[in-house]
Amino acid sequence: MNRERLTNIALPLIGTLIVVAVWEAASRLGAIDPRVFPGPVTAIAEAAGRLSADTVGEHMAWSLFRVFSGFALGVAAGVVIGVLAGWYRWFGLIARPLIELLRPIPPLAWIPLAIIWFGLGEPSKFFIIFLGAFFPVVTATYHGVTNVDPILVRAARTFSVGGWSLLTRIVLPAASPDLATGIRIGWGLSFGVLVAAELIAADRGLGYMIMNERNTGGSVSVIIVGILLIGFLNLLTDAAIGSAIQRWIGRWHGSGV
């Protein structure tokens, strides 16, 4: 492992450990009230006493399933609509005002309609998470397609590359960095709306675990551990997705004209 890679791993780890140590020290020394904001060691110990490993694992599995499902739907729709809006001007003139009208609306505001449209089952939860992923992906895809260097496009056309081949072999590879950014932002926002999605009659999931403790007057420690688990899962999966995207972009650029 080279020095730069080691530094990139060590510095974030050191920074995290410092924050955790300060948090724990502040709780133990009374700088913060441990009854409302217990330190990490206390929170984990209390949560472990209230919840079994199997229970926590089940909550995590259901949350990941919902996030992956809603995110996949959001990415698929965002890429298709973003490409069409960027490639076909007439479609962009129709779609962009609607997207910009709906984009600022927080996913939480859609919960009543999600229940009416999809009921109390999993589809309504997928829909809320879908919204978290869709808008950054469609916006980034549109931006990438419409901002491809025109010199690159003209050069491709001089080699008789046009139509579908121009889009798939030149424009999309050139737009892939923007698309990758949108995907990673969409993934983070999918986790961000997870708790809101699991407000919809859920009986499993990290969001349910958090809200159930609040509603029943349970342990603050379980709430804190649930929040930390959401962040930890997002951190690990985002790193994996980022690595996969880098390899994908490298192969795509390598296969272009």
Side-chain angles (χ1 to χ4, degrees), residues 11-255:
L11 288 181
L13 181 60
I14 292 171
T16 301
L17 291 175
I18 290 173
V19 170
V20 170
V22 171
W23 174 13
E24 182 67 26
S27 177
R28 290 182 179 274
L29 295 174
I32 55 177
D33 188 347
R35 293 171 299 178
V36 297
F37 192 30
V41 174
T42 301
I44 293 171
E46 289 185 3
R50 289 179 60 87
L51 301 171
S52 68
D54 289 342
T55 299
V56 174
E58 183 181 18
H59 287 317
M60 292 171 63
W62 272 96
S63 290
L64 283 173
F65 166 67
R66 289 169 179 143
V67 169
F68 272 113
S69 299
F71 170 76
L73 293 171
V75 168
V79 169
V80 170
I81 294 174
V83 169
L84 292 176
W87 190 243
Y88 298 105
R89 184 173 181 272
W90 63 269
F91 187 82
L93 291 174
I94 294 172
R96 286 294 293 172
L98 294 174
I99 292 171
E100 291 304 314
L101 174 67
L102 298 175
R103 185 169 59 88
I105 301 173
L108 192 65
W110 290 90
I111 287 180
L113 283 178
I115 294 172
I116 294 171
W117 291 344
F118 304 107
L120 297 174
E122 294 303 317
S124 57
K125 300 172 183 60
F126 296 162
F127 175 69
I128 298 300
I129 296 171
F130 162 90
L131 293 173
F134 171 76
F135 289 107
V137 172
V138 71
T139 302
T141 303
Y142 174 82
H143 181 271
V145 171
T146 55
N147 284 275
V148 173
D149 189 345
I151 296 176
L152 185 63
V153 175
R154 288 197 296 269
R157 284 177 171 154
T158 62
F159 289 97
S160 301
V161 178
W164 184 252
S165 293
L166 179 62
L167 175 62
T168 58
R169 298 176 60 189
I170 303 299
V171 174
L172 289 182
S176 58
D178 290 278
L179 176 57
T181 299
I183 288 174
R184 294 193 70 174
I185 293 173
W187 179 249
L189 289 177
S190 295
F191 266 98
V193 300
L194 174 65
V195 175
E198 291 183 338
L199 286 173
I200 306 174
D203 58 2
R204 288 164 293 193
L206 292 173
Y208 162 78
M209 185 179 81
I210 291 169
M211 298 307 299
N212 184 60
E213 289 294 320
R214 188 204 69 171
N215 294 335
T216 60
S219 171
V220 176
S221 295
V222 173
I223 296 174
I224 290 174
V225 168
I227 292 170
L228 292 177
L229 283 174
I230 291 174
F232 182 69
L233 287 177
N234 180 49
L235 180 66
L236 289 181
T237 51
D238 179 71
I241 289 173
S243 178
I245 286 175
Q246 287 181 348
R247 294 194 299 270
W248 165 61
I249 290 177
R251 287 197 301 269
W252 203 351
H253 277 272
S255 62

